[in-house]
Amino acid sequence: MEKLFRPKLIDTLKTYNRKQFTNDLFAGIIVGVVALPLAIAFAIASGVTPEKGLITAVVAGFIIAGLGGSRVQIGGPTGAFIVIVYGIVQMYGVSGLIIATFIAGIMLIIMGFARLGTIIKFIPHSLIIGFTSGIALIIFSSQVKDFLGLSMGAVPADFLEKWKAFFMHISTINLYAVGVAVSTILIIVFWPKVNKKVPGSLISILITTAAVHLLHLPVETIGSRFGVISSSIPAPQIPHVDYATFKHLIQPAFTIAMLGAIESLLSAVVADGMIGGNHRSNTELIAQGTANIFSSLFGGIPATGAIARTATNVKNGGRTPVAGIVHALTLLLILLIAGSWASLIPIANLAGILVIVAYNMSEWKNFRSILKGPKGDALVLLITFFLTVLIDLTIAIEVGIVLAAFLFMRNMIKFSGVSAYTSEIEDEDFGYDLIDDKYEVPKGVTVFEITGPLFFGAAYKVKDAMRYLERHPKVLIIRMRHVPLIDATGIQVLQEVNKDLKKHHTILMLSEVNSQQVLKELKDSRLLFAIGKGNVLGTLKQALEKAEKEVNYKIQVGKI
């Protein structure tokens, strides 16, 4: 069993050497440089000041690497949180965001100690692609104003109203801003052909910033919108949380926690595939929770594992949490030494970077593939996608999970069935090539074959089968060789069947209860005692032989 909390850093340091430190150092510096423009862009897109993104990347990135359950996870602000954070800031302000992040951190720690890490990994792929693609579209939409340099007031929060406002102000387009944004995209796309080590986003910042200031281009910069960026980490402050505030922020905090858990574990799984590792999911959740708590204490925003930055870390030789720690320290040095220079960066450049982020998040290939797959998965995908875009991410995740659960139960019900036999039984009737024996069912005996899980969604089939019996037999055998599990409703139905049969003096027998889970539940519920251990047989042949004796005995008693 996975240890509840054991950071990967502890294990990796046991065999750490100078060569690996050199690789981690190089990878950490590269990832730190890559994270710089992303941290600033994510913060601005989320409706907060640029330095909050950098603070989050430093504080949360350090803790996630040091305490996390993955060897190579890189943590910090991500595009997935933009939608949530922006909504919270608009409704509750920055102070509300800090409290929600603090509460979300506590929730993540509770999830880890409750060992929910493995459960979260089983969230349907179609649901993840649905809300991820929806977030990508929202991120793209949020950058249209800055990409085109439109002169307009506050951008409406509603998706449709937002695009309506864009079209109404399209005449105010700033071609210089468009040029900066398009140049940013072209540099990011084509720069890897020149040099794969230095990130294209950094090159785009250097080139466009230099062009804007040397050519005196009339475009908005970080400084003109936000003023000078602070070059220091603020002192930590514990947020004041009263009951009224907690009640209002519990839902957005839950959304932050759920999304943070899903994103971080998804990133850890991807990283495992790249390095052949095996992360500790519960340790990762505890680390993510701790990181978000400390991020909020320093005035930061929500953080989670970042798939793109984690992949960059791996590709550049990072193999231990030391690389993640170096990444955070690199960002800290940049913030302290050159943080104020970030005010020169054009807003349109960050818009171009986020358009690339949105495209990479869109998962359009997976989106198209799921649409061509099973209808149930396509339905979950589309509903989650449209609810994310048009309504709210929290509602999208909740509805998506519930819908996926109902579709799963529906499929399980399809594979569950009850068949009755009163003449001959062949094991080939159900397509199972177990044995070729042919059984004769004695007169006065009926055999029910239950297939599939006997849970609340399928238990009604047993009741329906009982109703269709023309008359109660002297012995009813329920064959359970293909029942992998049973729940409380299934137990209740069998108890009702047993009581009803006793009223009609019918003996109930069970055969081939092969599942240990089913056998345990039958024992714990005292149903085996009610039926009688002698009436629970290992094979159908034994059950039929005993049933025939019982029938003959009843006939003899009747004659007497």
Side-chain angles (χ1 to χ4, degrees), residues 505-521:
H505 307 290
T506 298
I507 299 173
L508 174 62
M509 295 183 183
L510 303 181
S511 79
E512 299 163 281
V513 184
N514 298 326
S515 168
Q516 290 300 314
Q517 186 271 344
V518 174
L519 192 61
K520 181 178 182 302
E521 294 298 331

Side-chain angles (χ1 to χ4, degrees), residues 286-366:
I286 294 171
Q288 295 288 339
T290 306
N292 277 280
I293 287 175
F294 276 89
S295 177
S296 66
L297 294 180
F298 285 93
I301 60 179
T304 186
I307 296 176
R309 275 161 276 170
T310 299
T312 301
N313 179 34
V314 173
K315 290 176 182 178
N316 284 281
R319 289 295 182 274
T320 77
V322 172
I325 293 173
V326 171
H327 136 269
L329 295 177
T330 300
L331 283 169
L332 177 61
L333 287 175
I334 294 173
L335 174 64
L336 297 177
I337 297 172
S340 58
W341 294 354
S343 60
L344 303 176
I345 298 173
I347 295 292
N349 168 261
L350 299 179
I353 291 173
L354 286 176
V355 166
I356 293 292
V357 170
Y359 175 80
N360 292 333
M361 281 185 66
S362 66
E363 299 276 7
W364 64 271
K365 290 183 180 179
N366 285 327

Side-chain angles (χ1 to χ4, degrees), residues 126-397:
S126 55
L127 188 150
I128 293 174
I129 298 300
F131 74 70
T132 302
S133 299
I135 290 171
L137 179 56
I138 294 174
I139 292 174
F140 173 77
S141 301
S142 70
Q143 297 309 302
V144 171
K145 174 191 174 184
D146 294 333
F147 193 99
L148 300 179
L150 301 179
S151 296
M152 55 185 292
V155 178
D158 181 75
F159 179 80
L160 298 179
E161 291 296 324
K162 186 177 298 180
W163 279 95
K164 182 180 177 181
F166 292 153
F167 285 115
M168 289 178 62
H169 293 84
I170 195 65
S171 60
T172 65
I173 187 171
N174 183 336
L175 294 179
Y176 294 104
V178 174
V180 170
V182 172
S183 298
T184 298
I185 292 175
L186 293 176
I187 292 170
I188 293 174
V189 171
F190 292 106
W191 178 254
K193 296 182 179 180
V194 179
N195 189 310
K196 292 184 178 180
K197 295 294 183 181
V198 181
S201 56
L202 177 64
I203 299 300
S204 74
I205 285 178
L206 295 176
I207 292 176
T208 58
T209 301
V212 166
H213 289 277
L214 291 175
L215 300 176
H216 303 288
L217 300 181
V219 298
E220 192 175 19
T221 64
I222 291 178
S224 64
R225 180 181 292 186
F226 297 99
V228 178
I229 295 179
S230 174
S231 297
S232 62
I233 300 286
Q237 291 184 340
I238 299 176
H240 174 69
V241 185
D242 54 37
Y243 178 72
T245 305
F246 177 81
K247 191 167 68 172
H248 283 110
L249 293 173
I250 187 68
Q251 186 175 26
F254 177 75
T255 305
I256 292 173
M258 282 298 298
L259 188 58
I262 294 169
E263 287 286 313
S264 63
L265 296 181
L266 184 61
S267 176
V269 169
V270 172
D272 285 346
M274 297 179 72
I275 65 173
N278 186 24
H279 75 280
R280 298 184 180 122
S281 55
N282 295 312
T283 297
E284 186 64 26
L285 289 182
I286 294 171
Q288 295 288 339
T290 306
N292 277 280
I293 287 175
F294 276 89
S295 177
S296 66
L297 294 180
F298 285 93
I301 60 179
T304 186
I307 296 176
R309 275 161 276 170
T310 299
T312 301
N313 179 34
V314 173
K315 290 176 182 178
N316 284 281
R319 289 295 182 274
T320 77
V322 172
I325 293 173
V326 171
H327 136 269
L329 295 177
T330 300
L331 283 169
L332 177 61
L333 287 175
I334 294 173
L335 174 64
L336 297 177
I337 297 172
S340 58
W341 294 354
S343 60
L344 303 176
I345 298 173
I347 295 292
N349 168 261
L350 299 179
I353 291 173
L354 286 176
V355 166
I356 293 292
V357 170
Y359 175 80
N360 292 333
M361 281 185 66
S362 66
E363 299 276 7
W364 64 271
K365 290 183 180 179
N366 285 327
F367 196 100
R368 184 176 63 182
S369 175
I370 293 173
L371 285 179
K372 294 180 179 179
K375 292 181 179 179
D377 289 334
L379 181 63
V380 171
L381 172 77
L382 292 175
I383 287 180
T384 306
F385 174 78
F386 285 114
L387 284 177
T388 299
V389 173
L390 300 175
I391 307 297
D392 181 74
L393 177 61
T394 305
I395 295 174
I397 293 176

